[in-house]
Amino acid sequence: MSRAEDIRAAALELFTDRGYRATTMADIGAAVGIRGPSLYKHVVSKQALLAQIMATTMENLLDLHHAAIATTVDPAERLRRATEAHVRYHARHHAEAFVGNREIRSLEQPHRSEVLKKRAAYESGFRNLISAGIAARRFDVTSARLASYAILDLGMGVAVWFRDDGELTEDAVVWEYGELALRIVGAHTAPRPGGP
């Protein structure tokens, strides 16, 4: 890893363990063996580190989402693949998910608005997939928005409890949560006859 990556990894670990407010730049420097002013050669501020961690997390999720849905046009398969990418990311990135959820209040402007904009775009991606499935008469759900929130919560919850050495493998969890997402939207294997 580069020095910048070392600093980011140390900050992420400290923000996870202690919280953003309780972590100092001196703590981050000590974790990577850099003292005082030398740390500022590599990073502007603690706030910039938090913003980078949170923005990068959302950019990674958006990239994974787009890659997942680009591989098929079938509404149910697109939702399954998007959900699987979402769940897999959260199974592998506990700390990023934890900091992203807990420390949004610690982000200052304009960072907070930028991260919230990315979050909204990510949720809209799921909502649009569900709306397309409803329009194609493949999904039977009243609210695409609520269904998208429920599916997003699936992945975020995985970050809390999933462990590599646990009872279920990552692949098993990813597959099962894909199934759950399709149940949430009332997916049908073929378009339902009639209706809007």
Side-chain angles (χ1 to χ4, degrees):
M1 282 197 297
S2 69
R3 180 62 85 181
E5 289 170 330
D6 287 341
I7 292 167
R8 181 191 176 280
L12 177 61
E13 184 175 344
L14 287 164
F15 295 162
T16 302
D17 292 343
R18 299 181 185 181
Y20 173 79
R21 297 198 187 284
T23 300
T24 66
M25 285 293 278
D27 295 331
I28 296 167
V32 292
I34 299 176
R35 293 186 180 186
S38 298
L39 185 60
Y40 290 95
K41 293 178 183 176
H42 304 282
V43 64
V44 175
S45 66
K46 184 174 76 162
Q47 178 67 200
L49 277 169
L50 180 64
Q52 180 191 31
I53 288 166
M54 294 180 78
T56 300
T57 296
M58 290 314 306
E59 288 159 11
N60 289 339
L61 283 165
L62 284 161
D63 289 347
L64 290 167
H65 178 85
H66 292 134
I69 66 172
T71 56
T72 182
V73 296
D74 179 74
E77 196 56 32
R78 290 183 105 200
L79 182 61
R80 170 188 279 288
R81 292 180 190 183
T83 301
E84 289 179 346
H86 175 69
V87 171
R88 193 176 298 280
Y89 182 89
H90 283 80
R92 293 180 178 180
H93 300 277
H94 304 266
E96 288 89 340
F98 181 76
V99 169
N101 288 324
R102 184 177 72 177
E103 299 295 354
I104 188 71
R105 67 187 186 276
S106 299
L107 275 180
E108 299 167 3
Q109 295 295 2
H111 305 303
R112 182 182 298 181
S113 292
E114 291 165 2
V115 169
L116 289 175
K117 184 176 179 182
K118 288 177 171 64
R119 282 186 173 190
Y122 188 61
E123 184 275 325
S124 290
F126 279 87
R127 187 163 14 108
N128 292 341
L129 291 178
I130 296 165
S131 295
I134 293 168
R137 298 193 305 275
R138 293 289 302 281
F139 300 161
D140 185 14
V141 65
T142 305
S143 171
R145 183 182 295 274
L146 288 179
S148 72
Y149 291 161
I151 292 166
L152 290 171
D153 281 347
L154 291 176
M156 291 185 286
V158 166
V160 174
W161 63 262
F162 180 79
R163 296 295 172 263
D164 290 328
D165 60 353
E167 177 184 349
L168 298 169
T169 66
E170 179 184 299
D171 286 340
V173 172
V174 164
W175 184 86
E176 188 62 41
Y177 274 49
E179 288 287 296
L180 289 172
L182 295 179
R183 289 185 199 136
I184 286 170
V185 298
H188 307 285
T189 56
R192 298 183 75 184

